[in-house]
Amino acid sequence: MGAPEEQVNCGFPFCAEAHPEHICKAEDGNIEYKLKLVNPSQYRFEHLVTQMKWRLQEGRGEAVYQIGVEDNGLLVGLSEEEMRASLKTLRRMAEKVGADITVLREREVDYDSDVPRKITEVLVRKVPDNQQFLDLRVAVLGNVDSGKSTLLGVLTQGELDNGRGRARLNLFRHLHEIQSGRTSSISFEILGFNSKGEVVNYSDSRTAEEICESSSKMITFIDLAGHHKYLKTTIFGLTSYCPDFAMLVVSANTGIAGTTREHLGLAMALKVPFFIVISKVDLCSKATVERTVKQLERILKQPGCNKLPLLVNSDDDAVTAAQQFAQSPNITPIFTLSSVSGENLDLLKVFLNILPPLTNSKEQEELMQQLTEFQVDEIYTVPEVGTVVGGTLSSGICREGENLVVGPTDDGKFLRLKVCSIQRNRSACRVLRAGQAATLALGPFDRSLLRKGMVMVSPEMNPTICSVFEAEIVLLFHATTFRKGFQVTVHVGNVRQTAVVEKIHGKDKLRTGEKAVVRFRFIKHPEYLKIGAKLLFREGVTKGIGHVTDLQAIITKENGLEESLGPGQLSF
């Protein structure tokens, strides 16, 4: 439960006066230990409500209360009567702040007492107001035919598969995908949970708008392609859509095959926390499933991975997995399930329901204070609406009717435009906050001037763009030697373009596993990059990762372009 903590003032109003023996936790977070909440005085009740507001704010609308636990993490437990009274008080507190409570699990503890004593873990979740539901993005990875789209179809449609792929038909975007049964593009699917922790999906003939309205928490699944032919699409989905987590789907009957290792490597290189789902357990014997689990555990424990596998077999395991997974990036939960029989599907739903966000409210606030920056990932033309762009707001706040600039164009300029309307998860939205994904309607703006990889920023930002940049890289794999003049496809966030290697500092060539600072030049047009951004490059079997260390900025003027080299920028 945690080590004993020092006594600190937690910053809650009237903490010391209301409850002098209360030892507040030194660390922030949305987990609160409470020994008991039996008939508190009005003054104490007000303090508890304030504390709950704080915890909900820390967890962006979610908090976990552990009743029957001392502040130092000692499991004491409560009698049946005390637990009932404590839960009643907790329910009153939740009503006061506009939240609902759900009991996650109960367990008996051995404490020096004749009466059986229990501890209870309770999820407190705020009822959504004004579309402020918690939104988590989960990228779905795995080899071709591992059952990714089928699993998403079952989760989001609420109906089991017939064993021949019926559940995935609603997810496909192109005719050739329906005919081949293989995903080639990136599609988004939503799964909601209401404030009581119940699943809200397309069953009961709900529309996307109704799902958003009745959900307190939304999981947006980014369904990526498994086939090696579409690897560039998969990498684009992982780098540009900024997923919070990744779900690696492995088929129980084939085990680790095809692109599974590659997808696992991509998630690790981009530092996206991932959990594993072993699908199709209805097709094979228990021994085969166990062999696949052991194979995965062996890979996860290897020195390159250093992960701690956690096999989920019960609701209790699912609750523990969700909490440990968010706190420690080394834990990797493993689920074994079937989309046809529905076996263990509920364990995955319990896990997704409790999974907390990675960023707390403080980090979110800091991002919102910055100037607006929206990454353009998709471009559409919608009849009677005009040009529409889809993407993620990396920083700031974007409102309907706001004037922004978009670029860089092929000649490095930024063009003025107006945001006419915003849609988030297919329902209208007035304000977009940092970290949220949405589509923005730009009215009559000429679509041909836009491309993927552009950014829409606040006019005050004065964005830096470049054609030449330096990055510190590690060459993960290359058949021969990597040298000057080599061309690679570079992925940095939503930017995807071919670049040529102009210089390798201190070396003539690089071999697999070697590290160096390399200067790249984009061959087509300048791009908007930031120092420190994660970079991934590939060309055939060649792969490497790194981060941007320096930019040769091109300063844009009203009358055209002007190259400048300021102090601390690239030297030749």
Side-chain angles (χ1 to χ4, degrees):
M1 280 293 171
E5 291 126 354
E6 78 233 50
Q7 186 153 351
V8 292
N9 184 5
C10 61
F12 295 134
F14 28 80
C15 175
E17 310 92 74
H19 199 40
E21 76 275 17
H22 175 71
I23 298 176
C24 294
K25 280 172 207 51
E27 83 277 359
D28 293 329
N30 69 337
I31 295 180
E32 179 67 40
Y33 299 154
K34 280 279 169 265
L35 181 54
K36 56 181 161 184
L37 302 166
V38 180
N39 297 330
S41 64
Q42 185 58 33
Y43 195 53
R44 166 94 172 111
F45 182 74
E46 292 296 334
H47 158 67
L48 289 168
V49 168
T50 310
Q51 199 177 43
M52 183 178 273
K53 278 183 189 164
W54 168 270
R55 289 291 172 208
L56 285 169
Q57 193 185 338
E58 281 293 298
R60 287 167 57 188
E62 281 185 356
V64 173
Y65 271 67
Q66 300 192 346
I67 313 281
V69 182
E70 288 270 20
D71 281 326
N72 61 7
L74 181 68
L75 306 181
V76 176
L78 296 180
S79 66
E80 190 78 40
E81 199 175 322
E82 286 176 327
M83 186 58 80
R84 219 177 7 251
S86 295
L87 289 175
K88 188 179 171 188
T89 305
L90 196 64
R91 200 166 276 111
R92 273 176 57 214
M93 287 157 56
E95 277 171 16
K96 192 92 189 248
V97 298
D100 277 333
I101 70 167
T102 318
V103 174
L104 294 178
R105 54 181 174 176
E106 291 182 334
R107 64 163 69 148
E108 290 200 0
V109 289
D110 296 326
Y111 199 70
D112 302 335
S113 164
D114 304 333
V115 187
R117 300 174 79 87
K118 277 184 184 172
I119 59 166
T120 303
E121 205 162 334
V122 183
L123 177 71
V124 182
R125 182 176 285 159
K126 231 170 144 36
V127 179
D129 54 328
N130 191 22
Q131 287 187 314
Q132 287 318 301
F133 48 76
L134 180 61
D135 195 2
L136 297 183
R137 287 191 289 277
V138 178
V140 185
L141 300 167
N143 190 35
V144 63
D145 301 335
S146 61
K148 298 185 294 298
S149 300
T150 298
L151 174 59
L152 293 194
V154 170
L155 285 171
T156 58
Q157 309 293 328
E159 276 183 26
L160 292 173
D161 188 48
N162 63 351
R164 292 186 297 281
R166 184 183 60 192
R168 69 188 178 195
L169 290 178
N170 293 318
L171 275 65
F172 289 149
R173 295 171 65 179
H174 303 291
L175 178 63
H176 71 85
E177 291 180 333
I178 293 169
Q179 288 165 344
S180 69
R182 288 178 177 174
T183 306
S184 66
S185 59
I186 298 171
S187 66
F188 295 86
E189 294 307 318
I190 54 174
L191 173 69
F193 292 96
N194 65 17
S195 54
K196 294 185 174 71
E198 296 158 346
V199 170
V200 184
N201 56 19
Y202 287 109
S203 58
D204 310 328
S205 308
R206 282 195 188 93
T207 62
E209 206 163 339
E210 286 168 346
I211 293 175
C212 292
E213 277 171 14
S214 43
S215 298
S216 301
K217 179 179 192 171
M218 296 284 294
I219 308 283
T220 305
F221 291 106
I222 306 165
D223 189 15
L224 301 174
H227 201 284
H228 200 277
K229 187 165 78 174
Y230 307 118
L231 184 64
K232 71 169 190 175
T233 307
T234 302
I235 295 176
F236 183 75
L238 270 176
T239 54
S240 68
Y241 290 110
C242 317
D244 298 295
F245 304 102
M247 174 166 81
L248 182 69
V249 183
V250 179
S251 171
N253 54 354
T254 55
I256 295 171
T259 52
T260 308
R261 279 174 196 270
E262 205 154 357
H263 286 183
L264 182 66
L266 284 173
M268 291 196 63
L270 295 166
K271 294 189 167 60
V272 180
F274 62 91
F275 57 96
I276 295 174
V277 170
I278 297 174
S279 63
K280 306 189 183 183
V281 297
D282 57 297
L283 284 184
C284 40
S285 65
K286 208 171 176 185
T288 311
V289 176
E290 281 172 11
R291 191 173 69 232
T292 305
V293 170
K294 282 195 170 64
Q295 189 186 11
L296 275 165
E297 286 178 339
R298 197 164 54 245
I299 283 183
L300 292 171
K301 287 175 182 172
Q302 279 175 357
C305 272
N306 276 335
K307 298 284 182 188
L308 196 67
L310 177 60
L311 190 61
V312 177
N313 289 317
S314 65
D315 282 1
D316 206 36
D317 290 349
V319 174
T320 307
Q323 290 171 358
Q324 296 293 329
F325 181 53
Q327 286 165 10
S328 164
N330 290 340
I331 303 271
T332 303
I334 300 176
F335 297 83
T336 54
L337 53 80
S338 164
S339 300
V340 175
S341 67
E343 184 185 336
N344 289 346
L345 208 56
D346 285 344
L347 299 185
L348 183 59
K349 289 176 186 169
V350 167
F351 174 79
L352 293 169
N353 176 32
I354 300 161
L355 196 58
L358 288 175
T359 54
N360 60 25
S361 54
K362 199 171 167 187
E363 290 165 26
Q364 174 86 348
E365 287 291 326
E366 281 170 10
L367 274 176
M368 279 160 56
Q369 301 298 326
Q370 296 170 20
L371 289 170
T372 305
E373 183 187 315
F374 182 87
Q375 293 185 354
V376 177
D377 299 333
E378 298 268 358
I379 302 156
Y380 320 93
T381 303
V382 179
E384 296 177 24
V385 175
T387 304
V388 173
V389 293
T392 310
L393 189 68
S394 343
S395 62
I397 288 178
C398 180
R399 293 183 173 84
E400 251 182 37
E402 195 162 340
N403 291 308
L404 299 172
V405 292
V406 66
T409 56
D410 288 357
D411 55 0
K413 288 195 173 70
F414 278 76
L415 309 168
R416 296 181 184 279
L417 54 77
K418 185 179 178 181
V419 177
C420 300
S421 64
I422 303 172
Q423 279 209 340
R424 209 179 137 214
N425 283 327
R426 300 166 203 172
S427 54
C429 166
R430 296 219 175 273
V431 181
L432 191 62
R433 290 171 171 77
Q436 295 177 344
T439 49
L440 313 182
L442 308 179
F445 193 85
D446 184 0
R447 177 185 171 160
S448 64
L449 298 172
L450 296 171
R451 60 178 170 79
K452 289 181 185 182
M454 280 185 163
V455 283
M456 286 164 52
V457 294
S458 169
E460 303 97 79
M461 191 183 266
N462 197 12
T464 53
I465 59 169
C466 68
S467 282
V468 178
F469 67 96
E470 286 191 352
E472 189 178 309
I473 64 155
V474 178
L475 196 59
L476 299 178
F477 182 76
H478 188 47
T480 55
T481 53
F482 181 84
R483 58 179 74 232
K484 183 181 170 182
F486 196 74
Q487 285 194 359
V488 291
T489 304
V490 172
H491 294 261
V492 186
N494 64 336
V495 169
R496 177 175 68 190
Q497 201 190 136
T498 304
V500 65
V501 175
E502 284 205 334
K503 185 179 180 182
I504 302 173
H505 287 281
K507 294 180 181 175
D508 292 333
K509 54 194 178 188
L510 277 184
R511 293 186 184 278
T512 300
E514 290 185 338
K515 194 183 257 194
V517 174
V518 175
R519 186 192 303 148
F520 293 97
R521 177 183 287 274
F522 287 125
I523 65 167
K524 280 192 190 161
H525 40 69
E527 298 281 12
Y528 170 79
L529 297 183
K530 280 180 172 172
I531 289 178
K534 282 184 208 149
L535 168 139
L536 197 140
F537 63 87
R538 59 179 180 85
E539 182 51 54
V541 290
T542 303
K543 286 181 196 68
I545 56 166
H547 63 275
V548 177
T549 55
D550 210 348
L551 307 172
Q552 181 185 336
I554 301 171
I555 297 179
T556 53
K557 297 282 184 193
E558 291 299 319
N559 56 357
L561 287 180
E562 182 181 300
E563 284 218 13
S564 90
L565 275 174
Q569 290 180 314
L570 294 184
S571 54
F572 286 85

